[in-house]
Amino acid sequence: MGLTAVHFGIVSLMPELVLQVAMHGVVGRAKDLGLIELCVGNPRDHASDVHQTVDDRPYGGGPGMVLKYAPVAAAIGALREKLPAGCPVVGLSPQGQVFDQARAEHFAALPGIILLSGRYEGIDERLLIDQVDEELSLGDFVLSGGEIAAMAVIDAVTRLLPGVLGDSDSAVQDSFVHGLLDYPHYTRPERVAGHDVPAVLLSGDHAAILRWRKKQALGRSYLRRPDLLEKLKLDREQRALLDEFLKESGS
Ligand code: 9D3
C-alpha cells in the first residue's frame, strides 16, 4: 500500500501554506490513508549565504525580483532524493499550458511528480531549461504565487487514485456526462422561494430522468461552454436532445 502511494514533491517558499491546505478534505484523507505522500522543500533552506537569499533583481531592469537558480535547484535535488526515480518536474506559472483533466489522469498514473511553485516575478529561465519538464497554468488570471495552483493539481490528481473516493463518488466519474458540464441538481423541499423541482425528477421514471439530465448537460454546455461541445463529436441521440433543449429554451 505505502509502496504504491503517489508522491508529490512541492518546492515552495511557503511550505506551511501547502501543508495546511493538504490537511483537509480529500487530500488530507488520502494522506492519512497512505495513498499519497507529500514532501515540501523550501529553497530558503538551501540558500548558501547568511541572509538565506533566494531572490535577486532582474537583469535588464524592471519591477520585482527573480528566484535564483541555485537555491531552487538544490530544493529540487533534495526532493529527488526522497521521491521515486523518474518523477517529472512540473512548474506552475502563467506561461504554462492550461492544466486539464487529461493532464490530471496522466499524472495519476506516475509514481510521483515534483511541483515547482514560484513567488515574485518569476524564476531564472536557466533553471526552467535545466530542471523543469513542463509548465502548467490554471488559466488566464493572475495569482500571487504557484502554491494554490500546485494544490489544485494535487487535489485533481489525488481524487483519481483508487481508494480515495467512496464508490458512489467514483461512479459519478464514469457517468455519461464525460466532457460536458453537469446537469442541474435539486434537493428538498420540492418548492422553495417560488421555484419547483422539475416534475420529471419526481416521476420515478428513471429512463426519463436520465434522458432529461443528458439533455440539460448538453444544453448547458452549448450555452455556457461551446468550446467543450466542439471538442466532442455528438451522436444522433445527443444531437436530438440538444435540439429539443434549444426548442424548449426558445434559443
Ligand atoms: C503581476 C505580475 N505579472 C507581470 C505581468 C507576472 C506574474 C508573475 C507571477 C503573474 C503571476 C505570477 C504568479 N502566478 C503563478 O505563480 C501562477 C499562476 C497564475 O498567476 N495564474 C494562473 N495559473 C498560475 S500557475 C502559477
Side-chain angles (χ1 to χ4, degrees):
M1 163 139 322
L3 290 174
T4 57
V6 173
H7 287 64
F8 296 103
I10 306 114
V11 175
S12 167
L13 290 166
M14 300 185 169
E16 57 291 326
L17 168 61
V18 168
L19 291 172
Q20 180 63 42
V21 172
M23 285 174 59
H24 304 276
V26 165
V27 172
R29 195 161 60 247
K31 208 153 65 80
D32 294 341
L33 290 169
L35 299 171
I36 62 168
E37 291 272 351
L38 256 62
C39 294
V40 191
N42 188 343
R44 204 166 298 281
D45 297 335
H46 299 272
S48 54
D49 64 316
V50 68
H51 296 109
Q52 295 188 292
T53 307
V54 295
D55 61 331
D56 206 339
R57 293 150 66 200
Y59 278 118
M65 299 291 271
V66 176
L67 273 172
K68 293 164 69 66
Y69 186 112
V72 175
I76 293 171
L79 287 174
R80 283 194 193 286
E81 303 269 290
K82 297 188 189 175
L83 268 64
C87 295
V89 176
V90 178
L92 286 315
S93 89
Q95 281 71 50
Q97 297 289 306
V98 177
F99 180 61
D100 63 10
Q101 194 65 18
R103 218 62 204 130
E105 284 166 15
H106 172 77
F107 293 148
L110 299 179
I113 55 175
I114 296 174
L115 296 156
L116 174 55
S117 326
R119 284 269 146 183
Y120 313 120
E121 277 307 299
I123 303 176
D124 192 302
E125 185 69 17
R126 295 164 295 186
L127 183 281
L128 301 178
I129 290 167
D130 285 355
Q131 298 281 346
V132 175
D133 296 292
E134 64 179 297
E135 284 182 82
L136 292 176
S137 164
L138 290 194
D140 296 336
F141 52 90
V142 181
L143 295 171
S144 306
E147 284 79 7
I148 288 171
M151 295 319 295
V153 171
I154 290 171
D155 186 286
V157 173
T158 298
R159 62 196 305 291
L160 294 173
L161 302 177
V164 169
L165 295 186
D167 284 345
S168 55
D169 286 320
S170 324
V172 173
Q173 297 180 341
D174 301 332
S175 91
F176 59 85
V177 288
H178 220 74
L180 293 174
L181 299 185
D182 215 349
Y183 53 80
H185 301 273
Y186 298 87
T187 189
R188 294 188 292 176
E190 275 185 37
R191 182 177 178 82
V192 65
H195 302 287
D196 288 318
V197 173
V200 63
L201 299 179
L202 308 174
S203 69
D205 181 342
H206 295 297
I209 292 169
L210 184 65
R211 188 175 185 283
W212 181 86
R213 286 178 168 166
K214 285 179 180 174
K215 184 168 64 177
Q216 295 299 315
L218 285 161
R220 282 153 58 112
S221 301
Y222 175 87
L223 294 177
R224 300 181 189 192
R225 291 291 305 277
D227 57 304
L228 292 181
L229 270 196
E230 275 158 31
K231 284 188 221 162
L232 296 177
K233 193 158 155 31
L234 298 192
D235 60 27
R236 286 179 73 89
E237 185 205 18
Q238 290 175 316
R239 187 66 239 173
L241 285 170
L242 180 55
D243 286 346
E244 196 174 302
F245 178 94
L246 293 174
K247 284 199 192 86
E248 287 169 7
S249 72
S251 305

